[in-house]
Amino acid sequence: MDGIFGGFEDLVVPRLEEHLGQTDLSFGGKLLPALKICEDGGESGCGGKVWIAGELLCEYVLEKSNDHLLSKTIHGKRPFKKVLELGSGTGLVGLCVGLLEKNKFHDNTKVYVTDIDKLVPLMERNIQLDKVQYEVLARELWWGEPLSADFSPQEGDLQTNNVDLVLAADCVYLEKAFPLLERTLLDLTNCISPPVILMAYKKRRKADKQFFNKIKKNFDVLEITDFIKFNYYLKQKTHLFQLVRKCSPRSGA
Ligand SMILES: C[S@@+](CC[C@H](N)C(=O)[O-])C[C@H]1O[C@@H](n2cnc3c(N)ncnc32)[C@H](O)[C@@H]1O
């Protein structure tokens, strides 16, 4: 992978004492038992710690899920069965969904937490820590690479096995990864019934605008504002978007 994604050192941030070891996250008591996350302080790349956009996405999922995942939203008509998190890092958001599935929903939903190879052991460690081995699976998924059969949209009878919810938190931060992330989002939505995509994002640099300007050609980028902590996160320049594929080659639209 180094050939294609040379400069991996860009993804590595200095080891930070406050992001080492195990943390309990209950999100103000909304998630009990609390999520346990082990952070490695950046040893395995920037994903080795919990990022603010991941926290926002957990807060949103917790607020908007009653008897099913996101049941209090317009998407809540049917239970989501196959959830894919991109750039999961520690696995934070996917693990939050997995814990809810285990303790509350019982919808037989599978959650795939994915990232570059170096993060897979940390995600696996956190899956063990939270005892969600049945609900959550860790996989290597490099943006821009062809999707594996597990995640590639299928038509016809196999459609029921498609990913129906994509989650991404703090994945827009590195300019050279923008076209790769866009490619993966396009591949995941190249079907008649594309998955719901929720993307949480913290604005850090002006260059991030390039990513959103570029994807607007193929996606409607809709900001989600109807959640309790919206103003809290707005002050920290952290936003939540739904990306809706405008049309895809296979949709015939
Ligand atoms: C800023 S971290 C966010 C981690 C986590 N989502 C959170 O909110 O705590 C960005 C994540 O994207 C992953 N990433 C960066 N480039 C990637 C690529 N080309 N393919 C797959 N994952 C990538 C990093 O390894 C890292 O885990």
Side-chain angles (χ1 to χ4, degrees), residues 210-244:
Q210 290 170 16
F211 173 80
F212 289 103
N213 284 340
K214 181 85 195 311
I215 64 163
K216 276 178 186 164
K217 190 175 160 214
N218 289 302
F219 294 92
D220 287 319
V221 180
L222 313 172
E223 180 154 16
I224 299 176
T225 59
D226 70 326
F227 58 100
I228 293 166
K229 290 189 127 183
F230 171 73
N231 282 322
Y232 168 83
Y233 284 107
L234 187 64
K235 281 188 195 130
Q236 302 182 67
K237 298 184 178 173
T238 308
H239 303 264
L240 179 61
F241 299 112
Q242 183 186 351
L243 308 186
V244 182

PDB file of all heavy atoms in Angstrom, residues 210-244:
ATOM      1  N   GLN A 210     -12.591  22.262  -0.807  1.00  0.00           N
ATOM      2  CA  GLN A 210     -12.390  21.598  -2.110  1.00  0.00           C
ATOM      3  C   GLN A 210     -13.123  20.266  -2.149  1.00  0.00           C
ATOM      4  O   GLN A 210     -13.713  19.889  -3.155  1.00  0.00           O
ATOM      5  CB  GLN A 210     -10.907  21.304  -2.348  1.00  0.00           C
ATOM      6  CG  GLN A 210     -10.053  22.508  -2.600  1.00  0.00           C
ATOM      7  CD  GLN A 210      -8.573  22.125  -2.564  1.00  0.00           C
ATOM      8  OE1 GLN A 210      -8.205  20.955  -2.634  1.00  0.00           O
ATOM      9  NE2 GLN A 210      -7.717  23.123  -2.433  1.00  0.00           N
ATOM     10  N   PHE A 211     -13.042  19.547  -1.040  1.00  0.00           N
ATOM     11  CA  PHE A 211     -13.689  18.236  -1.003  1.00  0.00           C
ATOM     12  C   PHE A 211     -15.197  18.388  -1.196  1.00  0.00           C
ATOM     13  O   PHE A 211     -15.801  17.726  -2.033  1.00  0.00           O
ATOM     14  CB  PHE A 211     -13.396  17.528   0.323  1.00  0.00           C
ATOM     15  CG  PHE A 211     -14.163  16.246   0.486  1.00  0.00           C
ATOM     16  CD1 PHE A 211     -13.729  15.083  -0.139  1.00  0.00           C
ATOM     17  CD2 PHE A 211     -15.336  16.197   1.237  1.00  0.00           C
ATOM     18  CE1 PHE A 211     -14.444  13.901  -0.023  1.00  0.00           C
ATOM     19  CE2 PHE A 211     -16.061  15.019   1.360  1.00  0.00           C
ATOM     20  CZ  PHE A 211     -15.604  13.866   0.728  1.00  0.00           C
ATOM     21  N   PHE A 212     -15.788  19.301  -0.424  1.00  0.00           N
ATOM     22  CA  PHE A 212     -17.245  19.440  -0.499  1.00  0.00           C
ATOM     23  C   PHE A 212     -17.678  20.023  -1.852  1.00  0.00           C
ATOM     24  O   PHE A 212     -18.678  19.592  -2.422  1.00  0.00           O
ATOM     25  CB  PHE A 212     -17.759  20.254   0.691  1.00  0.00           C
ATOM     26  CG  PHE A 212     -17.658  19.479   1.972  1.00  0.00           C
ATOM     27  CD1 PHE A 212     -16.649  19.735   2.883  1.00  0.00           C
ATOM     28  CD2 PHE A 212     -18.533  18.448   2.246  1.00  0.00           C
ATOM     29  CE1 PHE A 212     -16.524  18.997   4.052  1.00  0.00           C
ATOM     30  CE2 PHE A 212     -18.431  17.690   3.415  1.00  0.00           C
ATOM     31  CZ  PHE A 212     -17.423  17.974   4.317  1.00  0.00           C
ATOM     32  N   ASN A 213     -16.897  20.975  -2.385  1.00  0.00           N
ATOM     33  CA  ASN A 213     -17.235  21.506  -3.715  1.00  0.00           C
ATOM     34  C   ASN A 213     -17.205  20.404  -4.762  1.00  0.00           C
ATOM     35  O   ASN A 213     -18.064  20.337  -5.632  1.00  0.00           O
ATOM     36  CB  ASN A 213     -16.256  22.625  -4.116  1.00  0.00           C
ATOM     37  CG  ASN A 213     -16.575  23.906  -3.368  1.00  0.00           C
ATOM     38  OD1 ASN A 213     -17.687  24.083  -2.868  1.00  0.00           O
ATOM     39  ND2 ASN A 213     -15.594  24.789  -3.256  1.00  0.00           N
ATOM     40  N   LYS A 214     -16.215  19.535  -4.652  1.00  0.00           N
ATOM     41  CA  LYS A 214     -16.056  18.473  -5.656  1.00  0.00           C
ATOM     42  C   LYS A 214     -17.194  17.453  -5.552  1.00  0.00           C
ATOM     43  O   LYS A 214     -17.779  17.071  -6.562  1.00  0.00           O
ATOM     44  CB  LYS A 214     -14.695  17.806  -5.421  1.00  0.00           C
ATOM     45  CG  LYS A 214     -14.339  16.714  -6.376  1.00  0.00           C
ATOM     46  CD  LYS A 214     -13.715  17.274  -7.647  1.00  0.00           C
ATOM     47  CE  LYS A 214     -13.670  16.258  -8.783  1.00  0.00           C
ATOM     48  NZ  LYS A 214     -13.128  14.982  -8.385  1.00  0.00           N
ATOM     49  N   ILE A 215     -17.515  17.030  -4.346  1.00  0.00           N
ATOM     50  CA  ILE A 215     -18.530  15.963  -4.252  1.00  0.00           C
ATOM     51  C   ILE A 215     -19.941  16.484  -4.547  1.00  0.00           C
ATOM     52  O   ILE A 215     -20.833  15.696  -4.842  1.00  0.00           O
ATOM     53  CB  ILE A 215     -18.507  15.211  -2.898  1.00  0.00           C
ATOM     54  CG1 ILE A 215     -18.857  16.128  -1.742  1.00  0.00           C
ATOM     55  CG2 ILE A 215     -17.200  14.488  -2.664  1.00  0.00           C
ATOM     56  CD1 ILE A 215     -19.246  15.343  -0.498  1.00  0.00           C
ATOM     57  N   LYS A 216     -20.104  17.819  -4.503  1.00  0.00           N
ATOM     58  CA  LYS A 216     -21.441  18.364  -4.792  1.00  0.00           C
ATOM     59  C   LYS A 216     -21.889  18.076  -6.222  1.00  0.00           C
ATOM     60  O   LYS A 216     -23.058  18.199  -6.547  1.00  0.00           O
ATOM     61  CB  LYS A 216     -21.473  19.868  -4.507  1.00  0.00           C
ATOM     62  CG  LYS A 216     -21.737  20.155  -3.045  1.00  0.00           C
ATOM     63  CD  LYS A 216     -21.737  21.624  -2.726  1.00  0.00           C
ATOM     64  CE  LYS A 216     -21.867  21.816  -1.224  1.00  0.00           C
ATOM     65  NZ  LYS A 216     -21.501  23.169  -0.800  1.00  0.00           N
ATOM     66  N   LYS A 217     -20.939  17.698  -7.080  1.00  0.00           N
ATOM     67  CA  LYS A 217     -21.303  17.324  -8.454  1.00  0.00           C
ATOM     68  C   LYS A 217     -22.189  16.067  -8.422  1.00  0.00           C
ATOM     69  O   LYS A 217     -23.117  15.930  -9.207  1.00  0.00           O
ATOM     70  CB  LYS A 217     -20.013  17.043  -9.231  1.00  0.00           C
ATOM     71  CG  LYS A 217     -20.211  16.876 -10.693  1.00  0.00           C
ATOM     72  CD  LYS A 217     -18.880  16.714 -11.404  1.00  0.00           C
ATOM     73  CE  LYS A 217     -19.137  16.059 -12.743  1.00  0.00           C
ATOM     74  NZ  LYS A 217     -18.059  15.173 -13.141  1.00  0.00           N
ATOM     75  N   ASN A 218     -21.901  15.167  -7.515  1.00  0.00           N
ATOM     76  CA  ASN A 218     -22.619  13.883  -7.491  1.00  0.00           C
ATOM     77  C   ASN A 218     -23.491  13.666  -6.256  1.00  0.00           C
ATOM     78  O   ASN A 218     -24.256  12.703  -6.207  1.00  0.00           O
ATOM     79  CB  ASN A 218     -21.614  12.725  -7.574  1.00  0.00           C
ATOM     80  CG  ASN A 218     -20.992  12.631  -8.940  1.00  0.00           C
ATOM     81  OD1 ASN A 218     -21.700  12.486  -9.930  1.00  0.00           O
ATOM     82  ND2 ASN A 218     -19.676  12.765  -9.010  1.00  0.00           N
ATOM     83  N   PHE A 219     -23.316  14.514  -5.245  1.00  0.00           N
ATOM     84  CA  PHE A 219     -24.098  14.344  -4.007  1.00  0.00           C
ATOM     85  C   PHE A 219     -24.747  15.668  -3.605  1.00  0.00           C
ATOM     86  O   PHE A 219     -24.120  16.726  -3.724  1.00  0.00           O
ATOM     87  CB  PHE A 219     -23.187  13.910  -2.844  1.00  0.00           C
ATOM     88  CG  PHE A 219     -22.583  12.550  -2.991  1.00  0.00           C
ATOM     89  CD1 PHE A 219     -21.333  12.392  -3.586  1.00  0.00           C
ATOM     90  CD2 PHE A 219     -23.239  11.413  -2.541  1.00  0.00           C
ATOM     91  CE1 PHE A 219     -20.758  11.132  -3.732  1.00  0.00           C
ATOM     92  CE2 PHE A 219     -22.668  10.148  -2.671  1.00  0.00           C
ATOM     93  CZ  PHE A 219     -21.428  10.006  -3.269  1.00  0.00           C
ATOM     94  N   ASP A 220     -25.954  15.584  -3.103  1.00  0.00           N
ATOM     95  CA  ASP A 220     -26.508  16.725  -2.364  1.00  0.00           C
ATOM     96  C   ASP A 220     -25.925  16.643  -0.968  1.00  0.00           C
ATOM     97  O   ASP A 220     -25.954  15.572  -0.338  1.00  0.00           O
ATOM     98  CB  ASP A 220     -28.040  16.638  -2.292  1.00  0.00           C
ATOM     99  CG  ASP A 220     -28.678  16.951  -3.636  1.00  0.00           C
ATOM    100  OD1 ASP A 220     -28.202  17.889  -4.306  1.00  0.00           O
ATOM    101  OD2 ASP A 220     -29.624  16.250  -4.018  1.00  0.00           O
ATOM    102  N   VAL A 221     -25.380  17.752  -0.497  1.00  0.00           N
ATOM    103  CA  VAL A 221     -24.770  17.774   0.840  1.00  0.00           C
ATOM    104  C   VAL A 221     -25.724  18.548   1.758  1.00  0.00           C
ATOM    105  O   VAL A 221     -25.837  19.764   1.682  1.00  0.00           O
ATOM    106  CB  VAL A 221     -23.381  18.444   0.802  1.00  0.00           C
ATOM    107  CG1 VAL A 221     -22.751  18.466   2.191  1.00  0.00           C
ATOM    108  CG2 VAL A 221     -22.462  17.708  -0.177  1.00  0.00           C
ATOM    109  N   LEU A 222     -26.447  17.815   2.593  1.00  0.00           N
ATOM    110  CA  LEU A 222     -27.503  18.419   3.411  1.00  0.00           C
ATOM    111  C   LEU A 222     -27.037  18.507   4.865  1.00  0.00           C
ATOM    112  O   LEU A 222     -26.728  17.476   5.474  1.00  0.00           O
ATOM    113  CB  LEU A 222     -28.774  17.560   3.346  1.00  0.00           C
ATOM    114  CG  LEU A 222     -29.217  17.110   1.948  1.00  0.00           C
ATOM    115  CD1 LEU A 222     -30.358  16.114   2.054  1.00  0.00           C
ATOM    116  CD2 LEU A 222     -29.620  18.320   1.111  1.00  0.00           C
ATOM    117  N   GLU A 223     -26.990  19.713   5.396  1.00  0.00           N
ATOM    118  CA  GLU A 223     -26.566  19.818   6.800  1.00  0.00           C
ATOM    119  C   GLU A 223     -27.708  19.419   7.727  1.00  0.00           C
ATOM    120  O   GLU A 223     -28.857  19.827   7.535  1.00  0.00           O
ATOM    121  CB  GLU A 223     -26.084  21.243   7.134  1.00  0.00           C
ATOM    122  CG  GLU A 223     -25.651  21.309   8.597  1.00  0.00           C
ATOM    123  CD  GLU A 223     -24.632  22.378   8.916  1.00  0.00           C
ATOM    124  OE1 GLU A 223     -24.441  23.291   8.103  1.00  0.00           O
ATOM    125  OE2 GLU A 223     -24.053  22.285  10.022  1.00  0.00           O
ATOM    126  N   ILE A 224     -27.390  18.626   8.730  1.00  0.00           N
ATOM    127  CA  ILE A 224     -28.384  18.211   9.733  1.00  0.00           C
ATOM    128  C   ILE A 224     -28.211  19.111  10.949  1.00  0.00           C
ATOM    129  O   ILE A 224     -27.108  19.213  11.499  1.00  0.00           O
ATOM    130  CB  ILE A 224     -28.196  16.728  10.115  1.00  0.00           C
ATOM    131  CG1 ILE A 224     -28.396  15.851   8.873  1.00  0.00           C
ATOM    132  CG2 ILE A 224     -29.137  16.311  11.244  1.00  0.00           C
ATOM    133  CD1 ILE A 224     -28.141  14.363   9.107  1.00  0.00           C
ATOM    134  N   THR A 225     -29.284  19.786  11.333  1.00  0.00           N
ATOM    135  CA  THR A 225     -29.184  20.764  12.434  1.00  0.00           C
ATOM    136  C   THR A 225     -30.127  20.427  13.591  1.00  0.00           C
ATOM    137  O   THR A 225     -30.050  21.049  14.650  1.00  0.00           O
ATOM    138  CB  THR A 225     -29.521  22.180  11.912  1.00  0.00           C
ATOM    139  OG1 THR A 225     -30.850  22.149  11.388  1.00  0.00           O
ATOM    140  CG2 THR A 225     -28.560  22.626  10.816  1.00  0.00           C
ATOM    141  N   ASP A 226     -31.033  19.457  13.372  1.00  0.00           N
ATOM    142  CA  ASP A 226     -32.075  19.218  14.383  1.00  0.00           C
ATOM    143  C   ASP A 226     -31.629  18.204  15.437  1.00  0.00           C
ATOM    144  O   ASP A 226     -32.199  17.125  15.576  1.00  0.00           O
ATOM    145  CB  ASP A 226     -33.387  18.754  13.708  1.00  0.00           C
ATOM    146  CG  ASP A 226     -33.255  17.349  13.139  1.00  0.00           C
ATOM    147  OD1 ASP A 226     -32.144  16.998  12.681  1.00  0.00           O
ATOM    148  OD2 ASP A 226     -34.241  16.586  13.180  1.00  0.00           O
ATOM    149  N   PHE A 227     -30.586  18.560  16.160  1.00  0.00           N
ATOM    150  CA  PHE A 227     -30.224  17.708  17.299  1.00  0.00           C
ATOM    151  C   PHE A 227     -29.788  18.607  18.451  1.00  0.00           C
ATOM    152  O   PHE A 227     -29.382  19.776  18.244  1.00  0.00           O
ATOM    153  CB  PHE A 227     -29.160  16.660  16.920  1.00  0.00           C
ATOM    154  CG  PHE A 227     -27.872  17.205  16.378  1.00  0.00           C
ATOM    155  CD1 PHE A 227     -26.746  17.321  17.173  1.00  0.00           C
ATOM    156  CD2 PHE A 227     -27.777  17.618  15.046  1.00  0.00           C
ATOM    157  CE1 PHE A 227     -25.555  17.820  16.660  1.00  0.00           C
ATOM    158  CE2 PHE A 227     -26.587  18.111  14.531  1.00  0.00           C
ATOM    159  CZ  PHE A 227     -25.480  18.217  15.346  1.00  0.00           C
ATOM    160  N   ILE A 228     -29.910  18.067  19.662  1.00  0.00           N
ATOM    161  CA  ILE A 228     -29.810  18.908  20.857  1.00  0.00           C
ATOM    162  C   ILE A 228     -28.482  19.639  20.958  1.00  0.00           C
ATOM    163  O   ILE A 228     -28.431  20.821  21.286  1.00  0.00           O
ATOM    164  CB  ILE A 228     -30.057  18.037  22.125  1.00  0.00           C
ATOM    165  CG1 ILE A 228     -31.521  17.570  22.137  1.00  0.00           C
ATOM    166  CG2 ILE A 228     -29.761  18.833  23.403  1.00  0.00           C
ATOM    167  CD1 ILE A 228     -31.800  16.440  23.131  1.00  0.00           C
ATOM    168  N   LYS A 229     -27.388  18.958  20.666  1.00  0.00           N
ATOM    169  CA  LYS A 229     -26.078  19.579  20.865  1.00  0.00           C
ATOM    170  C   LYS A 229     -25.560  20.318  19.632  1.00  0.00           C
ATOM    171  O   LYS A 229     -24.357  20.578  19.518  1.00  0.00           O
ATOM    172  CB  LYS A 229     -25.074  18.519  21.331  1.00  0.00           C
ATOM    173  CG  LYS A 229     -25.354  18.025  22.746  1.00  0.00           C
ATOM    174  CD  LYS A 229     -24.228  17.170  23.230  1.00  0.00           C
ATOM    175  CE  LYS A 229     -23.696  17.648  24.558  1.00  0.00           C
ATOM    176  NZ  LYS A 229     -22.550  16.879  25.012  1.00  0.00           N
ATOM    177  N   PHE A 230     -26.482  20.682  18.728  1.00  0.00           N
ATOM    178  CA  PHE A 230     -26.065  21.352  17.487  1.00  0.00           C
ATOM    179  C   PHE A 230     -25.227  22.601  17.784  1.00  0.00           C
ATOM    180  O   PHE A 230     -24.134  22.782  17.234  1.00  0.00           O
ATOM    181  CB  PHE A 230     -27.298  21.719  16.639  1.00  0.00           C
ATOM    182  CG  PHE A 230     -26.968  22.580  15.463  1.00  0.00           C
ATOM    183  CD1 PHE A 230     -26.316  22.042  14.347  1.00  0.00           C
ATOM    184  CD2 PHE A 230     -27.270  23.934  15.455  1.00  0.00           C
ATOM    185  CE1 PHE A 230     -25.978  22.842  13.260  1.00  0.00           C
ATOM    186  CE2 PHE A 230     -26.932  24.744  14.371  1.00  0.00           C
ATOM    187  CZ  PHE A 230     -26.286  24.190  13.274  1.00  0.00           C
ATOM    188  N   ASN A 231     -25.731  23.467  18.663  1.00  0.00           N
ATOM    189  CA  ASN A 231     -25.009  24.728  18.943  1.00  0.00           C
ATOM    190  C   ASN A 231     -23.663  24.483  19.625  1.00  0.00           C
ATOM    191  O   ASN A 231     -22.697  25.181  19.348  1.00  0.00           O
ATOM    192  CB  ASN A 231     -25.865  25.663  19.799  1.00  0.00           C
ATOM    193  CG  ASN A 231     -26.909  26.340  18.942  1.00  0.00           C
ATOM    194  OD1 ASN A 231     -26.630  26.695  17.793  1.00  0.00           O
ATOM    195  ND2 ASN A 231     -28.122  26.484  19.472  1.00  0.00           N
ATOM    196  N   TYR A 232     -23.623  23.484  20.480  1.00  0.00           N
ATOM    197  CA  TYR A 232     -22.378  23.129  21.165  1.00  0.00           C
ATOM    198  C   TYR A 232     -21.299  22.764  20.133  1.00  0.00           C
ATOM    199  O   TYR A 232     -20.166  23.224  20.196  1.00  0.00           O
ATOM    200  CB  TYR A 232     -22.651  21.965  22.122  1.00  0.00           C
ATOM    201  CG  TYR A 232     -21.417  21.312  22.689  1.00  0.00           C
ATOM    202  CD1 TYR A 232     -20.765  21.860  23.800  1.00  0.00           C
ATOM    203  CD2 TYR A 232     -20.891  20.162  22.112  1.00  0.00           C
ATOM    204  CE1 TYR A 232     -19.618  21.264  24.304  1.00  0.00           C
ATOM    205  CE2 TYR A 232     -19.748  19.565  22.626  1.00  0.00           C
ATOM    206  CZ  TYR A 232     -19.119  20.119  23.715  1.00  0.00           C
ATOM    207  OH  TYR A 232     -17.989  19.537  24.216  1.00  0.00           O
ATOM    208  N   TYR A 233     -21.691  21.923  19.164  1.00  0.00           N
ATOM    209  CA  TYR A 233     -20.704  21.501  18.162  1.00  0.00           C
ATOM    210  C   TYR A 233     -20.411  22.604  17.143  1.00  0.00           C
ATOM    211  O   TYR A 233     -19.290  22.702  16.643  1.00  0.00           O
ATOM    212  CB  TYR A 233     -21.161  20.210  17.471  1.00  0.00           C
ATOM    213  CG  TYR A 233     -20.958  19.008  18.366  1.00  0.00           C
ATOM    214  CD1 TYR A 233     -22.020  18.367  18.984  1.00  0.00           C
ATOM    215  CD2 TYR A 233     -19.669  18.539  18.620  1.00  0.00           C
ATOM    216  CE1 TYR A 233     -21.814  17.282  19.823  1.00  0.00           C
ATOM    217  CE2 TYR A 233     -19.448  17.453  19.470  1.00  0.00           C
ATOM    218  CZ  TYR A 233     -20.535  16.833  20.062  1.00  0.00           C
ATOM    219  OH  TYR A 233     -20.316  15.767  20.897  1.00  0.00           O
ATOM    220  N   LEU A 234     -21.431  23.428  16.861  1.00  0.00           N
ATOM    221  CA  LEU A 234     -21.222  24.538  15.917  1.00  0.00           C
ATOM    222  C   LEU A 234     -20.103  25.452  16.419  1.00  0.00           C
ATOM    223  O   LEU A 234     -19.243  25.890  15.652  1.00  0.00           O
ATOM    224  CB  LEU A 234     -22.534  25.334  15.777  1.00  0.00           C
ATOM    225  CG  LEU A 234     -22.564  26.421  14.712  1.00  0.00           C
ATOM    226  CD1 LEU A 234     -22.399  25.820  13.305  1.00  0.00           C
ATOM    227  CD2 LEU A 234     -23.875  27.210  14.787  1.00  0.00           C
ATOM    228  N   LYS A 235     -20.109  25.698  17.725  1.00  0.00           N
ATOM    229  CA  LYS A 235     -19.068  26.554  18.321  1.00  0.00           C
ATOM    230  C   LYS A 235     -17.689  25.947  18.111  1.00  0.00           C
ATOM    231  O   LYS A 235     -16.686  26.643  18.111  1.00  0.00           O
ATOM    232  CB  LYS A 235     -19.318  26.725  19.823  1.00  0.00           C
ATOM    233  CG  LYS A 235     -20.399  27.744  20.114  1.00  0.00           C
ATOM    234  CD  LYS A 235     -20.487  28.042  21.604  1.00  0.00           C
ATOM    235  CE  LYS A 235     -21.803  28.754  21.882  1.00  0.00           C
ATOM    236  NZ  LYS A 235     -22.563  28.171  22.968  1.00  0.00           N
ATOM    237  N   GLN A 236     -17.654  24.633  17.935  1.00  0.00           N
ATOM    238  CA  GLN A 236     -16.363  23.966  17.711  1.00  0.00           C
ATOM    239  C   GLN A 236     -16.173  23.605  16.237  1.00  0.00           C
ATOM    240  O   GLN A 236     -15.390  22.710  15.906  1.00  0.00           O
ATOM    241  CB  GLN A 236     -16.288  22.724  18.592  1.00  0.00           C
ATOM    242  CG  GLN A 236     -16.454  23.131  20.050  1.00  0.00           C
ATOM    243  CD  GLN A 236     -16.352  21.957  20.973  1.00  0.00           C
ATOM    244  OE1 GLN A 236     -15.293  21.369  21.097  1.00  0.00           O
ATOM    245  NE2 GLN A 236     -17.460  21.616  21.616  1.00  0.00           N
ATOM    246  N   LYS A 237     -16.942  24.322  15.392  1.00  0.00           N
ATOM    247  CA  LYS A 237     -16.826  24.163  13.925  1.00  0.00           C
ATOM    248  C   LYS A 237     -17.000  22.715  13.496  1.00  0.00           C
ATOM    249  O   LYS A 237     -16.343  22.233  12.570  1.00  0.00           O
ATOM    250  CB  LYS A 237     -15.481  24.685  13.436  1.00  0.00           C
ATOM    251  CG  LYS A 237     -15.271  26.164  13.693  1.00  0.00           C
ATOM    252  CD  LYS A 237     -13.962  26.589  13.093  1.00  0.00           C
ATOM    253  CE  LYS A 237     -13.757  28.079  13.305  1.00  0.00           C
ATOM    254  NZ  LYS A 237     -12.458  28.521  12.905  1.00  0.00           N
ATOM    255  N   THR A 238     -17.854  22.006  14.173  1.00  0.00           N
ATOM    256  CA  THR A 238     -18.062  20.588  13.856  1.00  0.00           C
ATOM    257  C   THR A 238     -19.507  20.398  13.384  1.00  0.00           C
ATOM    258  O   THR A 238     -20.449  20.833  14.061  1.00  0.00           O
ATOM    259  CB  THR A 238     -17.743  19.715  15.089  1.00  0.00           C
ATOM    260  OG1 THR A 238     -16.439  20.072  15.548  1.00  0.00           O
ATOM    261  CG2 THR A 238     -17.748  18.239  14.754  1.00  0.00           C
ATOM    262  N   HIS A 239     -19.649  19.794  12.224  1.00  0.00           N
ATOM    263  CA  HIS A 239     -20.943  19.735  11.533  1.00  0.00           C
ATOM    264  C   HIS A 239     -21.323  18.287  11.202  1.00  0.00           C
ATOM    265  O   HIS A 239     -20.462  17.416  11.131  1.00  0.00           O
ATOM    266  CB  HIS A 239     -20.872  20.510  10.216  1.00  0.00           C
ATOM    267  CG  HIS A 239     -20.470  21.938  10.385  1.00  0.00           C
ATOM    268  ND1 HIS A 239     -21.369  22.970  10.462  1.00  0.00           N
ATOM    269  CD2 HIS A 239     -19.238  22.504  10.523  1.00  0.00           C
ATOM    270  CE1 HIS A 239     -20.726  24.113  10.629  1.00  0.00           C
ATOM    271  NE2 HIS A 239     -19.433  23.867  10.678  1.00  0.00           N
ATOM    272  N   LEU A 240     -22.619  18.118  10.939  1.00  0.00           N
ATOM    273  CA  LEU A 240     -23.104  16.803  10.507  1.00  0.00           C
ATOM    274  C   LEU A 240     -23.833  16.972   9.177  1.00  0.00           C
ATOM    275  O   LEU A 240     -24.683  17.862   9.041  1.00  0.00           O
ATOM    276  CB  LEU A 240     -24.063  16.230  11.566  1.00  0.00           C
ATOM    277  CG  LEU A 240     -24.684  14.873  11.243  1.00  0.00           C
ATOM    278  CD1 LEU A 240     -23.611  13.788  11.078  1.00  0.00           C
ATOM    279  CD2 LEU A 240     -25.665  14.457  12.345  1.00  0.00           C
ATOM    280  N   PHE A 241     -23.474  16.136   8.211  1.00  0.00           N
ATOM    281  CA  PHE A 241     -24.108  16.201   6.891  1.00  0.00           C
ATOM    282  C   PHE A 241     -24.687  14.849   6.516  1.00  0.00           C
ATOM    283  O   PHE A 241     -24.157  13.802   6.912  1.00  0.00           O
ATOM    284  CB  PHE A 241     -23.085  16.559   5.806  1.00  0.00           C
ATOM    285  CG  PHE A 241     -22.432  17.897   5.996  1.00  0.00           C
ATOM    286  CD1 PHE A 241     -21.084  17.987   6.319  1.00  0.00           C
ATOM    287  CD2 PHE A 241     -23.162  19.066   5.855  1.00  0.00           C
ATOM    288  CE1 PHE A 241     -20.479  19.219   6.511  1.00  0.00           C
ATOM    289  CE2 PHE A 241     -22.556  20.306   6.031  1.00  0.00           C
ATOM    290  CZ  PHE A 241     -21.212  20.383   6.363  1.00  0.00           C
ATOM    291  N   GLN A 242     -25.768  14.907   5.727  1.00  0.00           N
ATOM    292  CA  GLN A 242     -26.193  13.704   5.016  1.00  0.00           C
ATOM    293  C   GLN A 242     -25.796  13.900   3.552  1.00  0.00           C
ATOM    294  O   GLN A 242     -26.039  14.972   2.972  1.00  0.00           O
ATOM    295  CB  GLN A 242     -27.705  13.489   5.118  1.00  0.00           C
ATOM    296  CG  GLN A 242     -28.093  12.189   4.421  1.00  0.00           C
ATOM    297  CD  GLN A 242     -29.584  11.945   4.343  1.00  0.00           C
ATOM    298  OE1 GLN A 242     -30.385  12.660   4.943  1.00  0.00           O
ATOM    299  NE2 GLN A 242     -29.959  10.939   3.582  1.00  0.00           N
ATOM    300  N   LEU A 243     -25.174  12.898   2.969  1.00  0.00           N
ATOM    301  CA  LEU A 243     -24.811  12.967   1.552  1.00  0.00           C
ATOM    302  C   LEU A 243     -25.805  12.109   0.776  1.00  0.00           C
ATOM    303  O   LEU A 243     -25.964  10.924   1.070  1.00  0.00           O
ATOM    304  CB  LEU A 243     -23.393  12.439   1.312  1.00  0.00           C
ATOM    305  CG  LEU A 243     -22.263  13.017   2.176  1.00  0.00           C
ATOM    306  CD1 LEU A 243     -20.915  12.493   1.704  1.00  0.00           C
ATOM    307  CD2 LEU A 243     -22.266  14.541   2.143  1.00  0.00           C
ATOM    308  N   VAL A 244     -26.470  12.738  -0.198  1.00  0.00           N
ATOM    309  CA  VAL A 244     -27.464  11.998  -0.989  1.00  0.00           C
ATOM    310  C   VAL A 244     -26.994  11.944  -2.440  1.00  0.00           C
ATOM    311  O   VAL A 244     -26.822  13.003  -3.068  1.00  0.00           O
ATOM    312  CB  VAL A 244     -28.855  12.675  -0.904  1.00  0.00           C
ATOM    313  CG1 VAL A 244     -29.881  11.869  -1.700  1.00  0.00           C
ATOM    314  CG2 VAL A 244     -29.296  12.842   0.544  1.00  0.00           C
TER     315      VAL A 244
END
